[in-house]
Amino acid sequence: MSFMFKLFLKYASVGVINTLIHWTSFFILNEFISQGLSNVIAFSIAVTFSFFINSKFTFKSNVSLYRYLIYVIFLGVLAYVIGEIAENIAVNPFMTLLSFSLVSLIIGFLYSKYIVFKE
């Protein structure tokens, strides 16, 4: 098994827990506010968990405010854009979460590996 695949599996395992945090938060918030705003807030809660666990467990990298900010901002914009698109075309909230989870898993891994946690 290649190093990159093993790294992706670690990232994906953290992503499972992250997704549970994100989805639970999203469905609670979506009772009160729009999908776009629900998605970005739920993402912000989950991404903080994900950032710290991935920095130590997956990428064995130092934590810094700069790294945290570029991680959160990039993926937060992605969360918001997907949520707003879903809201505008009246997508079911479950499909919004599923779409974001799949897109952010792949894009988030590549962004983390080659930008955020690049040594």
Side-chain angles (χ1 to χ4, degrees):
M1 193 176 334
S2 74
F3 171 75
M4 186 70 125
F5 185 68
K6 286 180 186 177
L7 199 62
F8 179 75
L9 287 179
K10 281 186 175 185
Y11 186 85
S13 68
V14 172
V16 169
I17 298 167
N18 181 61
T19 299
L20 290 173
I21 293 168
H22 184 165
W23 286 37
T24 301
S25 301
F26 175 87
F27 281 115
I28 291 168
L29 291 166
N30 194 50
E31 291 297 315
F32 307 101
I33 56 179
S34 74
Q35 287 190 51
L37 199 51
S38 295
N39 199 31
V40 77
I41 292 170
F43 165 80
S44 297
I45 294 166
V47 76
T48 298
F49 165 81
S50 180
F51 173 79
F52 286 103
I53 299 301
N54 275 317
S55 69
K56 295 299 179 191
F57 173 70
T58 306
F59 298 104
K60 298 181 182 11
S61 183
N62 294 326
V63 172
S64 73
L65 180 59
Y66 173 75
R67 285 180 172 175
Y68 177 76
L69 290 175
I70 65 170
Y71 186 75
V72 170
I73 291 168
F74 176 81
L75 292 174
V77 167
L78 182 63
Y80 185 76
V81 167
I82 289 173
E84 283 301 308
I85 290 169
E87 185 76 22
N88 288 328
I89 62 173
V91 170
N92 179 292
F94 178 78
M95 293 307 296
T96 302
L97 288 175
L98 184 60
S99 299
F100 176 72
S101 295
L102 294 174
V103 169
S104 68
L105 176 64
I106 296 164
I107 292 174
F109 173 72
L110 295 171
Y111 184 74
S112 295
K113 168 90 174 109
Y114 294 109
I115 296 174
V116 177
F117 299 111
K118 182 180 178 184
E119 294 296 330

